[in-house]
Amino acid sequence: MTSVITICDTCKRDDWAERAANDGVELTDGEALATLVEAASEGVAGVETRRHSCLMGCNHGCNVSLQAAGKLTYTLGKFETTAEAAEGIVAYAALHAESKSGQVPFKQWPQAIKGHFITRIPPLPDA
C-alpha cells in the first residue's frame, strides 16, 4: 500500500524573516523541505509526496503528515531543512507503507524523525 507524505509548503521557521532579509532567502522553509523530501522519495516503493499550503502547525514548523488508507496518520514537525531530515521522513514513510496498521516499532525509527512526532490519528472506521 502507498503512504503519502504531505509537506506544508508555507512553513517558516522562527528565524525565516531574518534569514530572508539578511541572506535573500526566497523559498519558505516548507518549500525547501518539500524539494528535499521529493528528491529523497524518488524511486522509493510505496511512498508518494504532495505539497499543501498550511497544515496549521505553525508553532511546530516545518511540518509533514503521513497518511495511508486504513492506517494511522501521523503529523511530524520541528524539522530543519536538511537532507538528513528529508531522508528520515522518507525512510519512516517506507516503513509506514510496509506496516499493516501504519504503526512502526520504535527500534526501527530512523534517528532523524525521533522527537518530531506531534500527533497520531486513528484511521476512520470502515463505512
Side-chain angles (χ1 to χ4, degrees):
M1 179 178 289
T2 299
S3 290
V4 178
I5 304 167
T6 302
I7 309 111
C8 179
D9 62 7
T10 55
C11 276
K12 295 176 183 171
R13 296 186 50 81
D14 290 339
D15 64 344
W16 184 84
E18 181 180 331
R19 287 184 289 119
N22 294 336
D23 302 333
V25 174
E26 294 182 18
L27 296 177
T28 64
D29 294 315
E31 290 171 315
L33 182 62
T35 299
L36 292 167
V37 171
E38 291 161 350
S41 69
E42 285 186 31
V44 177
V47 175
E48 292 182 6
T49 64
R50 66 180 182 164
R51 295 181 184 210
H52 184 75
S53 294
C54 196
L55 293 179
M56 297 183 73
C58 300
N59 292 335
H60 302 290
C62 289
N63 297 289
V64 301
S65 70
L66 184 57
Q67 301 168 289
K71 294 185 179 188
L72 292 164
T73 293
Y74 294 95
T75 305
L76 297 88
K78 301 182 182 177
F79 285 107
E80 298 284 338
T81 55
T82 65
E84 179 184 3
E87 290 163 7
I89 292 165
V90 171
Y92 187 82
L95 295 169
H96 182 269
E98 293 172 4
S99 169
K100 182 177 175 144
S101 67
Q103 189 166 357
V104 177
F106 180 78
K107 65 183 178 182
Q108 293 180 3
W109 291 10
Q111 185 63 40
I113 57 100
K114 291 181 178 176
H116 291 273
F117 285 83
I118 306 297
T119 64
R120 178 173 71 177
I121 302 167
L124 292 171
D126 291 336

